[in-house]
Amino acid sequence: QVQLVESGGGLVQAGGSLRLVCAASASIFSFNRMGWYRQAPGKQRELVADITSGGSTNYADSVKGRFTISRDNAKNTVYLQMNSLKPEDTAVYYCNRAPAFLAYRVWGQGTQVTVSS
């Protein structure tokens, strides 16, 4: 079954950390650039970080220096380490292929991240 499964979200105070995990089917993950997206209430989904199969990374300016994306190609898994969290990081976080126009058509359920001030 082709799927994306995100986990690791939660409620954290500003300044805290969380580590998100995404398990992907091989057909989605293999040899593809993978990304973490987020969608806050009333806002469009945005790409916050992505990583190539070789490990090259890109970050949105809003998370640069605070978030770190990584991947384990043997496990078809992508991670997002989030440090120094801010209330504006509150959103549902999703993983998928990147950029968005290459995303697999069926998104996972996402994982909720809530940062309290």
Side-chain angles (χ1 to χ4, degrees), residues 4 24 33 45 61 63 87-88 91:
L4 294 154
R33 183 187 296 266
R45 188 175 292 163
D61 288 344
V63 307
E88 51 263 44

Side-chain angles (χ1 to χ4, degrees), residues 1-116:
Q1 185 177 0
V2 180
Q3 60 181 358
L4 294 154
V5 180
E6 301 92 350
S7 62
L11 173 63
V12 64
Q13 288 188 331
S17 298
L18 285 171
R19 187 188 192 218
L20 306 185
V21 181
C22 169
S25 301
S27 60
I28 298 174
F29 185 92
S30 297
F31 306 111
N32 287 308
R33 183 187 296 266
M34 295 294 295
W36 280 98
Y37 300 77
R38 68 185 181 188
Q39 187 167 22
K43 295 187 177 181
Q44 288 189 331
R45 188 175 292 163
E46 62 172 341
L47 178 65
V48 296
D50 63 74
I51 185 169
T52 66
S53 58
S56 296
T57 59
N58 291 294
Y59 297 93
D61 288 344
S62 59
V63 307
K64 201 170 292 182
R66 300 188 297 120
F67 290 9
T68 302
I69 188 171
S70 60
R71 64 192 285 164
D72 185 331
N73 291 333
K75 297 181 179 179
N76 296 336
T77 302
V78 187
Y79 306 94
L80 187 68
Q81 178 67 44
M82 305 187 296
N83 299 327
S84 303
L85 282 161
K86 304 176 180 180
E88 51 263 44
D89 295 319
T90 295
V92 180
Y93 284 72
Y94 304 86
C95 69
N96 208 321
R97 291 194 293 244
F101 74 89
L102 293 176
Y104 181 65
R105 66 187 185 282
V106 179
W107 291 74
Q109 83 287 349
T111 186
Q112 175 71 48
V113 172
T114 303
V115 185
S116 63

